[in-house]
Amino acid sequence: MKPIQVGLLGIGTVGSGVFNVLQRNQEEIRRRAGRGIEIACVADLDTARARSIVGEGTRVVGDAREVIANPEIDIVIELIGGYGIAKQLVLEAIAAGKHVVTANKALLAVHGTEIFKAAADKGVVVAYEAAVAGGIPIIKALREGLSANQIQWVAGIINGTTNFILSEMRDKGLDFDVVLKEAQRLGYAEADPTFDIEGVDAAHKATIMSAIAFGIPVQFDKAYVEGITKLSAADIRYAEQLGYRIKLLGITKRTDKGVELRVHPSLVPAKRLIANVEGAMNAVVVHGDAVGTTLYYGKGAGSEPTASAVIADLVDITRLIEADPAHRVPPLAFQSHTLGAAGQDLPVLPMAEVVTSYYLRIRVADQAGVLARITGLLADAGISIDAVLQREADEVGGEGSTQTDVIILTHDTREGDMDGALAQIQALPTVLAPITRIRKEELN
Amino acid sequence: MKPIQVGLLGIGTVGSGVFNVLQRNQEEIRRRAGRGIEIACVADLDTARARSIVGEGTRVVGDAREVIANPEIDIVIELIGGYGIAKQLVLEAIAAGKHVVTANKALLAVHGTEIFKAAADKGVVVAYEAAVAGGIPIIKALREGLSANQIQWVAGIINGTTNFILSEMRDKGLDFDVVLKEAQRLGYAEADPTFDIEGVDAAHKATIMSAIAFGIPVQFDKAYVEGITKLSAADIRYAEQLGYRIKLLGITKRTDKGVELRVHPSLVPAKRLIANVEGAMNAVVVHGDAVGTTLYYGKGAGSEPTASAVIADLVDITRLIEADPAHRVPPLAFQSHTLGAAGQDLPVLPMAEVVTSYYLRIRVADQAGVLARITGLLADAGISIDAVLQREADEVGGEGSTQTDVIILTHDTREGDMDGALAQIQALPTVLAPITRIRKEELN
């Protein structure tokens, strides 16, 4: 049988990984897929660099539309990124009847509904294993491996840059700004790191996972997004003393009222495996009602790990390329005609409705009665306290200090109730600085 | 469309989990599979107990062959276990044109070649996600999620009973026999625990993983199998002091000369995630040339976790039940006509050819020159030493003792060379007891 013909749009880090792995492992991949898979054409604005990567045997063009228009091409891989031209090209490829493989989480989290609809209408696949957690086959696990389950929650370290920064902050006791600079120097953070450190990239990925876990549309605009820029070395140290690590988690959870979808720093018990995921590694914990807690760990970025996911999608498409589309796994895990059916579209909850526990660090005047006032206000709001860590004044501010940190861990409460209580505590004259509030997840 | 009709052979712990999860999550599963899946008939020798589990709505029979002969049944789930009647029934179900889902690792590890051949001839699927690591979708990850990779090695904690025992031995500093009794009392170990504690169950699972990782036939008879019965609390303690944990690992590795396939206790660096997998949990580490190191963690046994895997197989079969068999994932990951092709069947290596590092505990007379003699014999065999831990005599044998333990960690060496060196060391008059030798894996 003729090898499957693939067109590659964009041959940067991931694209060159795809090209190299497909070449190196072509025999093994053919033995698995039952058919060869080859890159027939590469489009990149920098044709000279593209040529230097692919050598003489592969066609290189400067115009992506030439690839899409080529009737020989079966599958188009989109590795351009972003929502601009990438969106146009993906829609054009679909319209031309090509199957599409993409690593573009931003595109799918924001425009997924439109794209999957277009693909369904044309009977083509849009596959995106590489869009979440790089080489870890988490999309496959959620859509197929755990298909027996009512998924209850998913929580993941799904951004390597921020996990690297948090690992370094903890290891070396340094503050955010210092470590960010080091991460940029080492290539773990980009020159403009906003999407990573503000949690946007993790929120794109969490949005995609929420859709396939719960059978709801992608709704990035409803996600709560908070990054790691305000974390201090002190919070990491206090958390450690209380038996916790701080990780940037993408969380999505099913509740009776709707779906939680949120990205923020979280305290996680130090004994959980996910709390021990260090450096730029990724890990996703999935809790299903039948299977219980499962975890998936690996490299979340990089040339060949991401290529591993892209090529797995190519193999899946190759197997079913001549089959009736009804035989394929639905793109968002659930049959598309059941998305949005009555009673099945759980709303994404506003943050005030989210129920979780909290770590609070409150800078107070070191005088009698302060703790009693604070705990009294929490009690009035119905918030119960799990643990209190009160530092000696001189541990914090040096000898003769009149300030200290009070650290409080709470039990589960509505975020809206916590907001109200914190406003009152913040207004106390004995509270001397903005309160630090970090959510806490037990993940068991 | 009419729901898929499933016949269940054996409704014990896992079978009742399958029945309950299929009922509880039927709507969710139908939304994923695109078609209902229902247990139409259950066969169990104990029909009264079967009836008490399934209620009045489902047919219960005492004779499994009645299920197989029923033309309404699309898929047969075999949950009887063992190689006896289970093998007969699986072959008969295949001959009757039924797809088969099984959790029976022993059957597949020993008779897999015959069974998969029969299934291929009839154009039916034999699915077995539940046979390895319970609810963890590791078969899917290896066969599909990592299909881009040349898999280099797989190492897993794939027997919950032994991991529970090792966790307890370490936590409480107790010896094997004591903890085994406790595990039996708590239901973590069976009355006859031989298959678990001698490593046989783990070897069945490792055998299946070796086949799908490397495209070789299942060859349980070539597996090296060593259990945990000889481990002492002292070894676990010494390992800990050196920065390691001891885990029973099922390992399969590709080398230039062939495939390693072995189950034995192994020292693993304490900082690896898999070293921190405690109690009855399972975890499998897979290293691929493109993806690097990945890990999959979850419950390896139990009613609903195992049911989760069985039902995922049902959903996969349902999707493709009317498709050309060529569109399905090959049962052993590689297209069957390429198994055994020239140069592609790597042999399973004899243990003497395995290359690994070692932990040695040698009970010696506490006198000058003993360590020099031992290290000299290792050096003569070309074995280099990574670390030595020599205990003060009184730490081991009490005051006035004339004995002590010498602990040695080696670098990588051929097992055959180590066997030769150990025979010579054992023969030294200053070596007072049988040498303990535990293999060590870095897993990075």
Side-chain angles (χ1 to χ4, degrees):
Chain A
M1 226 180 324
K2 192 184 162 214
I4 289 287
Q5 302 294 298
V6 179
L8 181 58
L9 311 186
I11 188 157
T13 307
V14 176
S16 59
V18 171
F19 186 84
N20 292 331
V21 174
L22 267 179
Q23 284 235 314
R24 188 174 72 230
N25 294 345
Q26 57 179 312
E27 185 51 26
E28 194 118 2
I29 292 166
R30 194 191 53 72
R31 286 183 65 202
R32 290 193 178 102
R35 192 164 169 185
I37 298 174
E38 67 186 36
I39 304 279
C41 189
V42 172
D44 200 290
L45 292 178
D46 188 343
T47 51
R49 200 197 42 172
R51 171 66 62 208
S52 76
I53 294 165
V54 305
E56 290 307 315
T58 303
R59 197 170 142 74
V60 171
V61 298
D63 180 5
R65 290 186 166 98
E66 216 177 301
V67 174
I68 292 170
N70 183 339
E72 300 289 308
I73 299 288
D74 303 299
I75 307 176
V76 169
I77 305 177
E78 182 273 304
L79 296 173
I80 296 165
Y83 338 88
I85 183 69
K87 183 186 172 197
Q88 274 312 313
L89 294 172
V90 164
L91 288 171
E92 288 175 28
I94 291 168
K98 312 298 187 195
H99 301 286
V100 173
V101 175
T102 179
N104 191 336
K105 43 254 172 195
L107 177 63
L108 295 180
V110 177
H111 300 290
T113 303
E114 178 183 354
I115 288 166
F116 292 123
K117 171 81 168 59
D121 290 347
K122 280 299 266 187
V124 298
V125 176
V126 173
Y128 55 91
E129 181 63 78
V132 181
I136 307 171
I138 184 64
I139 300 297
K140 189 172 280 283
L142 275 167
R143 290 202 315 192
E144 304 173 44
L146 303 178
S147 59
N149 292 266
Q150 190 170 88
I151 306 286
Q152 292 166 327
W153 51 263
V154 179
I157 295 173
I158 46 182
N159 179 275
T161 301
T162 45
N163 202 55
F164 174 83
I165 291 172
L166 293 176
S167 294
E168 290 287 296
M169 286 175 71
R170 172 173 162 263
D171 263 13
K172 302 185 178 163
L174 297 172
D175 268 317
F176 174 77
D177 296 334
V178 182
V179 177
L180 173 61
K181 285 206 184 69
E182 187 205 351
Q184 286 173 315
R185 195 177 54 77
L186 293 169
Y188 285 110
E190 300 191 42
D192 178 359
T194 313
F195 259 41
D196 293 316
I197 64 178
E198 296 294 358
V200 177
D201 174 73
H204 287 145
K205 295 164 180 167
T207 297
I208 294 170
M209 292 198 291
S210 77
I212 60 177
F214 306 126
I216 59 173
V218 287
Q219 295 164 80
F220 175 69
D221 57 331
K222 306 266 178 64
Y224 173 82
V225 189
E226 179 184 322
I228 64 167
T229 55
K230 288 179 197 141
L231 282 181
S232 73
D235 292 316
I236 291 174
R237 203 171 54 239
Y238 288 139
E240 190 96 18
Q241 291 169 14
L242 291 157
Y244 291 85
R245 303 271 166 85
I246 299 180
K247 295 291 184 186
L248 181 72
L249 294 184
I251 298 172
T252 186
K253 192 179 285 190
R254 180 203 301 266
T255 75
D256 291 343
K257 294 180 194 158
V259 169
E260 299 178 2
L261 174 55
R262 48 196 172 98
V263 170
H264 51 70
S266 305
L267 272 74
V268 180
K271 66 187 173 201
R272 300 271 180 269
L273 283 193
I274 195 171
N276 295 283
V277 170
E278 301 292 353
M281 300 303 283
N282 280 19
V284 179
V285 180
V286 182
H287 188 89
D289 68 338
V291 76
T293 298
T294 60
L295 176 143
Y296 309 83
Y297 163 89
K299 287 189 176 132
S303 176
E304 294 207 353
T306 311
S308 173
V310 168
I311 297 169
D313 280 344
L314 294 178
V315 172
D316 281 355
I317 294 173
T318 296
R319 283 204 178 100
L320 290 171
I321 202 155
E322 287 170 2
D324 183 329
H327 298 318
R328 295 179 191 139
V329 179
L332 292 176
F334 294 80
Q335 302 286 323
S336 55
H337 67 271
T338 74
L339 295 176
Q344 288 174 334
D345 254 13
L346 292 164
V348 174
L349 295 171
M351 203 59 196
E353 294 302 320
V354 162
V355 173
T356 185
S357 56
Y358 294 85
Y359 159 101
L360 305 174
R361 176 165 56 89
I362 310 175
R363 187 80 177 151
V364 296
D366 185 31
Q367 59 193 57
V370 173
L371 186 59
R373 286 298 303 275
I374 292 171
T375 55
L377 287 169
L378 289 170
D380 292 346
I383 298 165
S384 69
I385 290 172
D386 181 31
V388 174
L389 186 67
Q390 186 164 12
R391 313 306 302 172
E392 296 292 326
D394 59 356
E395 282 186 51
V396 175
E399 257 180 285
S401 167
T402 56
Q403 301 185 7
T404 187
D405 278 340
V406 172
I407 315 296
I408 296 174
L409 298 185
T410 76
H411 288 295
D412 275 353
T413 185
R414 261 186 78 252
E415 176 118 347
D417 295 338
M418 179 56 83
D419 290 340
L422 286 187
Q424 290 187 283
I425 295 168
Q426 188 70 71
L428 292 175
T430 46
V431 171
L432 306 174
I435 296 168
T436 298
R437 167 247 303 262
I438 307 174
R439 298 170 192 87
K440 177 166 86 63
E441 305 292 331
E442 290 298 318
L443 302 186
N444 54 9
Chain B
M1 226 178 327
K2 193 182 161 217
I4 290 287
Q5 301 293 298
V6 179
L8 182 57
L9 311 186
I11 188 156
T13 306
V14 176
S16 58
V18 170
F19 186 84
N20 292 332
V21 174
L22 267 180
Q23 284 235 314
R24 188 173 72 231
N25 294 345
Q26 57 180 312
E27 184 49 27
E28 193 118 2
I29 291 167
R30 195 191 52 73
R31 286 184 65 202
R32 290 193 178 104
R35 193 165 168 184
I37 298 174
E38 68 186 36
I39 304 280
C41 189
V42 172
D44 201 290
L45 293 177
D46 187 342
T47 51
R49 200 196 42 170
R51 172 65 64 205
S52 76
I53 294 166
V54 303
E56 290 307 315
T58 303
R59 196 169 143 73
V60 171
V61 297
D63 180 4
R65 290 188 166 95
E66 217 178 298
V67 174
I68 292 170
N70 183 339
E72 299 289 307
I73 298 289
D74 303 299
I75 307 175
V76 170
I77 305 177
E78 182 274 306
L79 296 173
I80 296 166
Y83 339 87
I85 182 68
K87 183 186 171 195
Q88 273 312 311
L89 292 172
V90 164
L91 289 171
E92 287 175 30
I94 291 168
K98 311 298 187 197
H99 301 285
V100 173
V101 175
T102 179
N104 192 335
K105 44 257 174 191
L107 177 63
L108 296 179
V110 176
H111 300 290
T113 303
E114 180 184 352
I115 287 166
F116 293 123
K117 171 80 168 59
D121 290 347
K122 278 299 264 187
V124 298
V125 177
V126 173
Y128 54 91
E129 182 62 78
V132 181
I136 307 171
I138 184 64
I139 300 298
K140 187 171 282 281
L142 275 167
R143 289 204 313 193
E144 304 173 44
L146 303 178
S147 59
N149 292 265
Q150 188 170 90
I151 305 286
Q152 292 166 328
W153 52 264
V154 179
I157 296 173
I158 44 182
N159 179 273
T161 302
T162 45
N163 202 54
F164 175 83
I165 292 172
L166 293 176
S167 294
E168 289 287 296
M169 285 175 71
R170 172 173 162 262
D171 263 14
K172 302 184 177 163
L174 297 172
D175 268 319
F176 173 78
D177 296 334
V178 182
V179 177
L180 173 60
K181 284 204 187 70
E182 186 204 351
Q184 286 173 314
R185 194 176 53 77
L186 294 170
Y188 285 111
E190 300 190 42
D192 177 359
T194 314
F195 258 41
D196 293 315
I197 64 177
E198 296 293 359
V200 178
D201 174 72
H204 286 144
K205 295 163 181 168
T207 297
I208 294 170
M209 293 198 289
S210 76
I212 61 178
F214 306 127
I216 59 173
V218 286
Q219 294 164 81
F220 175 68
D221 57 330
K222 305 267 178 63
Y224 173 82
V225 189
E226 179 184 322
I228 63 167
T229 56
K230 288 179 195 139
L231 282 181
S232 73
D235 293 316
I236 290 174
R237 202 170 56 238
Y238 288 139
E240 189 96 18
Q241 292 169 15
L242 291 158
Y244 291 85
R245 304 270 166 84
I246 299 180
K247 294 291 183 187
L248 182 71
L249 295 184
I251 299 171
T252 186
K253 192 180 286 192
R254 179 203 303 264
T255 75
D256 291 341
K257 294 178 192 159
V259 168
E260 298 179 4
L261 175 55
R262 48 195 172 98
V263 170
H264 50 71
S266 304
L267 272 74
V268 180
K271 66 185 171 199
R272 299 272 180 268
L273 283 194
I274 195 171
N276 295 283
V277 170
E278 301 292 351
M281 300 302 284
N282 280 19
V284 180
V285 181
V286 182
H287 188 88
D289 68 338
V291 78
T293 298
T294 60
L295 176 143
Y296 309 83
Y297 164 90
K299 288 188 176 131
S303 176
E304 293 206 352
T306 311
S308 172
V310 168
I311 297 169
D313 280 344
L314 295 178
V315 172
D316 281 354
I317 295 173
T318 296
R319 283 204 178 101
L320 290 170
I321 202 155
E322 288 172 359
D324 183 329
H327 297 318
R328 297 178 190 139
V329 180
L332 291 176
F334 294 80
Q335 303 287 323
S336 54
H337 67 270
T338 73
L339 296 176
Q344 289 174 331
D345 255 14
L346 292 165
V348 174
L349 295 171
M351 202 59 196
E353 294 303 318
V354 163
V355 172
T356 185
S357 57
Y358 295 85
Y359 159 101
L360 305 174
R361 175 165 57 88
I362 311 175
R363 186 82 177 149
V364 296
D366 186 33
Q367 59 193 56
V370 173
L371 185 60
R373 285 300 302 277
I374 292 171
T375 55
L377 287 169
L378 289 170
D380 291 347
I383 298 166
S384 68
I385 290 172
D386 181 31
V388 173
L389 185 68
Q390 187 163 13
R391 314 306 303 172
E392 296 293 324
D394 60 356
E395 284 186 48
V396 176
E399 257 181 282
S401 166
T402 57
Q403 301 186 6
T404 187
D405 278 340
V406 172
I407 315 296
I408 296 173
L409 299 184
T410 77
H411 288 295
D412 275 353
T413 184
R414 262 185 78 252
E415 176 119 348
D417 295 337
M418 179 57 82
D419 289 341
L422 287 187
Q424 289 187 286
I425 295 168
Q426 189 69 71
L428 292 174
T430 47
V431 171
L432 307 174
I435 297 168
T436 297
R437 168 248 302 264
I438 308 174
R439 297 169 194 88
K440 177 166 84 60
E441 305 292 331
E442 290 299 319
L443 302 186
N444 54 7

mmCIF file of all heavy atoms in Angstrom, chain B residues 128-150:
data_model
loop_
_atom_site.group_PDB
_atom_site.id
_atom_site.type_symbol
_atom_site.label_atom_id
_atom_site.label_comp_id
_atom_site.label_asym_id
_atom_site.label_seq_id
_atom_site.Cartn_x
_atom_site.Cartn_y
_atom_site.Cartn_z
ATOM 1 N N TYR B 128 -7.237 -7.087 26.181
ATOM 2 C CA TYR B 128 -6.721 -7.540 27.492
ATOM 3 C C TYR B 128 -6.116 -6.402 28.314
ATOM 4 O O TYR B 128 -5.158 -6.613 29.059
ATOM 5 C CB TYR B 128 -5.692 -8.652 27.265
ATOM 6 C CG TYR B 128 -4.573 -8.240 26.310
ATOM 7 C CD1 TYR B 128 -3.405 -7.664 26.795
ATOM 8 C CD2 TYR B 128 -4.702 -8.393 24.934
ATOM 9 C CE1 TYR B 128 -2.401 -7.252 25.939
ATOM 10 C CE2 TYR B 128 -3.708 -7.975 24.066
ATOM 11 C CZ TYR B 128 -2.553 -7.413 24.585
ATOM 12 O OH TYR B 128 -1.560 -6.994 23.738
ATOM 13 N N GLU B 129 -6.682 -5.187 28.195
ATOM 14 C CA GLU B 129 -6.169 -4.059 28.994
ATOM 15 C C GLU B 129 -6.121 -4.406 30.477
ATOM 16 O O GLU B 129 -5.210 -3.991 31.203
ATOM 17 C CB GLU B 129 -7.029 -2.827 28.741
ATOM 18 C CG GLU B 129 -6.604 -1.565 29.461
ATOM 19 C CD GLU B 129 -5.217 -1.084 29.045
ATOM 20 O OE1 GLU B 129 -5.074 -0.472 27.967
ATOM 21 O OE2 GLU B 129 -4.270 -1.335 29.833
ATOM 22 N N ALA B 130 -7.108 -5.163 30.953
ATOM 23 C CA ALA B 130 -7.199 -5.474 32.383
ATOM 24 C C ALA B 130 -6.156 -6.491 32.839
ATOM 25 O O ALA B 130 -5.985 -6.704 34.043
ATOM 26 C CB ALA B 130 -8.599 -6.002 32.704
ATOM 27 N N ALA B 131 -5.441 -7.112 31.894
ATOM 28 C CA ALA B 131 -4.488 -8.162 32.277
ATOM 29 C C ALA B 131 -3.213 -7.599 32.898
ATOM 30 O O ALA B 131 -2.501 -8.290 33.614
ATOM 31 C CB ALA B 131 -4.146 -9.023 31.060
ATOM 32 N N VAL B 132 -2.907 -6.340 32.614
ATOM 33 C CA VAL B 132 -1.674 -5.736 33.140
ATOM 34 C C VAL B 132 -2.013 -4.447 33.884
ATOM 35 O O VAL B 132 -2.622 -3.535 33.321
ATOM 36 C CB VAL B 132 -0.671 -5.423 32.007
ATOM 37 C CG1 VAL B 132 0.608 -4.822 32.571
ATOM 38 C CG2 VAL B 132 -0.352 -6.683 31.198
ATOM 39 N N ALA B 133 -1.630 -4.393 35.154
ATOM 40 C CA ALA B 133 -1.751 -3.166 35.940
ATOM 41 C C ALA B 133 -3.184 -2.660 36.067
ATOM 42 O O ALA B 133 -3.428 -1.450 36.143
ATOM 43 C CB ALA B 133 -0.844 -2.066 35.374
ATOM 44 N N GLY B 134 -4.134 -3.596 36.136
ATOM 45 C CA GLY B 134 -5.529 -3.264 36.467
ATOM 46 C C GLY B 134 -6.103 -2.098 35.688
ATOM 47 O O GLY B 134 -6.192 -2.145 34.470
ATOM 48 N N GLY B 135 -6.482 -1.050 36.396
ATOM 49 C CA GLY B 135 -7.165 0.071 35.768
ATOM 50 C C GLY B 135 -6.284 1.025 34.997
ATOM 51 O O GLY B 135 -6.789 1.893 34.282
ATOM 52 N N ILE B 136 -4.971 0.895 35.114
ATOM 53 C CA ILE B 136 -4.070 1.794 34.390
ATOM 54 C C ILE B 136 -4.098 1.435 32.912
ATOM 55 O O ILE B 136 -3.847 0.281 32.572
ATOM 56 C CB ILE B 136 -2.621 1.663 34.896
ATOM 57 C CG1 ILE B 136 -2.542 1.829 36.416
ATOM 58 C CG2 ILE B 136 -1.710 2.657 34.184
ATOM 59 C CD1 ILE B 136 -1.165 1.500 36.997
ATOM 60 N N PRO B 137 -4.374 2.383 32.022
ATOM 61 C CA PRO B 137 -4.438 2.030 30.591
ATOM 62 C C PRO B 137 -3.047 1.885 29.975
ATOM 63 O O PRO B 137 -2.695 2.568 29.022
ATOM 64 C CB PRO B 137 -5.235 3.187 29.980
ATOM 65 C CG PRO B 137 -5.086 4.327 30.913
ATOM 66 C CD PRO B 137 -4.814 3.759 32.287
ATOM 67 N N ILE B 138 -2.278 0.942 30.495
ATOM 68 C CA ILE B 138 -0.877 0.808 30.060
ATOM 69 C C ILE B 138 -0.759 0.066 28.729
ATOM 70 O O ILE B 138 0.148 0.357 27.930
ATOM 71 C CB ILE B 138 -0.019 0.129 31.159
ATOM 72 C CG1 ILE B 138 1.447 0.071 30.766
ATOM 73 C CG2 ILE B 138 -0.543 -1.264 31.478
ATOM 74 C CD1 ILE B 138 2.108 1.421 30.628
ATOM 75 N N ILE B 139 -1.669 -0.866 28.467
ATOM 76 C CA ILE B 139 -1.617 -1.561 27.170
ATOM 77 C C ILE B 139 -1.891 -0.551 26.059
ATOM 78 O O ILE B 139 -1.190 -0.510 25.045
ATOM 79 C CB ILE B 139 -2.653 -2.709 27.132
ATOM 80 C CG1 ILE B 139 -2.390 -3.731 28.240
ATOM 81 C CG2 ILE B 139 -2.670 -3.377 25.755
ATOM 82 C CD1 ILE B 139 -1.070 -4.440 28.158
ATOM 83 N N LYS B 140 -2.873 0.301 26.283
ATOM 84 C CA LYS B 140 -3.195 1.324 25.288
ATOM 85 C C LYS B 140 -2.038 2.305 25.108
ATOM 86 O O LYS B 140 -1.704 2.701 23.988
ATOM 87 C CB LYS B 140 -4.473 2.066 25.685
ATOM 88 C CG LYS B 140 -4.965 3.030 24.614
ATOM 89 C CD LYS B 140 -6.344 3.596 24.914
ATOM 90 C CE LYS B 140 -7.456 2.641 24.620
ATOM 91 N NZ LYS B 140 -7.785 2.560 23.177
ATOM 92 N N ALA B 141 -1.402 2.687 26.218
ATOM 93 C CA ALA B 141 -0.271 3.616 26.110
ATOM 94 C C ALA B 141 0.859 2.987 25.296
ATOM 95 O O ALA B 141 1.418 3.613 24.397
ATOM 96 C CB ALA B 141 0.220 4.005 27.506
ATOM 97 N N LEU B 142 1.166 1.730 25.586
ATOM 98 C CA LEU B 142 2.268 1.067 24.879
ATOM 99 C C LEU B 142 1.932 0.808 23.414
ATOM 100 O O LEU B 142 2.770 1.010 22.536
ATOM 101 C CB LEU B 142 2.594 -0.273 25.556
ATOM 102 C CG LEU B 142 3.545 -0.243 26.738
ATOM 103 C CD1 LEU B 142 3.514 -1.576 27.481
ATOM 104 C CD2 LEU B 142 4.967 0.056 26.281
ATOM 105 N N ARG B 143 0.717 0.348 23.134
ATOM 106 C CA ARG B 143 0.369 -0.039 21.771
ATOM 107 C C ARG B 143 0.041 1.145 20.878
ATOM 108 O O ARG B 143 0.295 1.116 19.680
ATOM 109 C CB ARG B 143 -0.870 -0.957 21.790
ATOM 110 C CG ARG B 143 -0.620 -2.324 22.346
ATOM 111 C CD ARG B 143 -1.621 -3.344 21.831
ATOM 112 N NE ARG B 143 -3.003 -2.861 21.911
ATOM 113 C CZ ARG B 143 -4.065 -3.637 21.760
ATOM 114 N NH1 ARG B 143 -3.914 -4.935 21.530
ATOM 115 N NH2 ARG B 143 -5.272 -3.149 21.848
ATOM 116 N N GLU B 144 -0.558 2.182 21.482
ATOM 117 C CA GLU B 144 -1.059 3.284 20.667
ATOM 118 C C GLU B 144 -0.426 4.623 21.039
ATOM 119 O O GLU B 144 0.027 5.362 20.179
ATOM 120 C CB GLU B 144 -2.578 3.387 20.811
ATOM 121 C CG GLU B 144 -3.313 2.098 20.461
ATOM 122 C CD GLU B 144 -4.801 2.194 20.785
ATOM 123 O OE1 GLU B 144 -5.442 3.212 20.496
ATOM 124 O OE2 GLU B 144 -5.324 1.222 21.383
ATOM 125 N N GLY B 145 -0.404 4.938 22.329
ATOM 126 C CA GLY B 145 0.058 6.262 22.748
ATOM 127 C C GLY B 145 1.522 6.507 22.421
ATOM 128 O O GLY B 145 1.928 7.643 22.175
ATOM 129 N N LEU B 146 2.325 5.437 22.431
ATOM 130 C CA LEU B 146 3.765 5.594 22.193
ATOM 131 C C LEU B 146 4.191 4.954 20.869
ATOM 132 O O LEU B 146 5.355 4.590 20.694
ATOM 133 C CB LEU B 146 4.545 4.985 23.369
ATOM 134 C CG LEU B 146 4.200 5.581 24.743
ATOM 135 C CD1 LEU B 146 4.983 4.877 25.844
ATOM 136 C CD2 LEU B 146 4.465 7.080 24.791
ATOM 137 N N SER B 147 3.266 4.878 19.928
ATOM 138 C CA SER B 147 3.540 4.143 18.686
ATOM 139 C C SER B 147 4.628 4.775 17.824
ATOM 140 O O SER B 147 5.132 4.136 16.898
ATOM 141 C CB SER B 147 2.258 3.979 17.865
ATOM 142 O OG SER B 147 1.712 5.256 17.554
ATOM 143 N N ALA B 148 5.009 6.014 18.123
ATOM 144 C CA ALA B 148 6.087 6.664 17.361
ATOM 145 C C ALA B 148 7.465 6.179 17.781
ATOM 146 O O ALA B 148 8.451 6.399 17.074
ATOM 147 C CB ALA B 148 6.030 8.180 17.568
ATOM 148 N N ASN B 149 7.527 5.538 18.938
ATOM 149 C CA ASN B 149 8.815 5.283 19.585
ATOM 150 C C ASN B 149 9.394 3.911 19.302
ATOM 151 O O ASN B 149 8.673 2.931 19.148
ATOM 152 C CB ASN B 149 8.653 5.381 21.107
ATOM 153 C CG ASN B 149 8.369 6.792 21.556
ATOM 154 O OD1 ASN B 149 9.278 7.519 21.921
ATOM 155 N ND2 ASN B 149 7.099 7.199 21.508
ATOM 156 N N GLN B 150 10.714 3.861 19.314
ATOM 157 C CA GLN B 150 11.377 2.598 19.590
ATOM 158 C C GLN B 150 11.408 2.528 21.119
ATOM 159 O O GLN B 150 12.067 3.345 21.779
ATOM 160 C CB GLN B 150 12.787 2.590 19.021
ATOM 161 C CG GLN B 150 13.400 1.228 19.124
ATOM 162 C CD GLN B 150 14.704 1.089 18.369
ATOM 163 O OE1 GLN B 150 15.762 1.345 18.941
ATOM 164 N NE2 GLN B 150 14.651 0.681 17.105
#
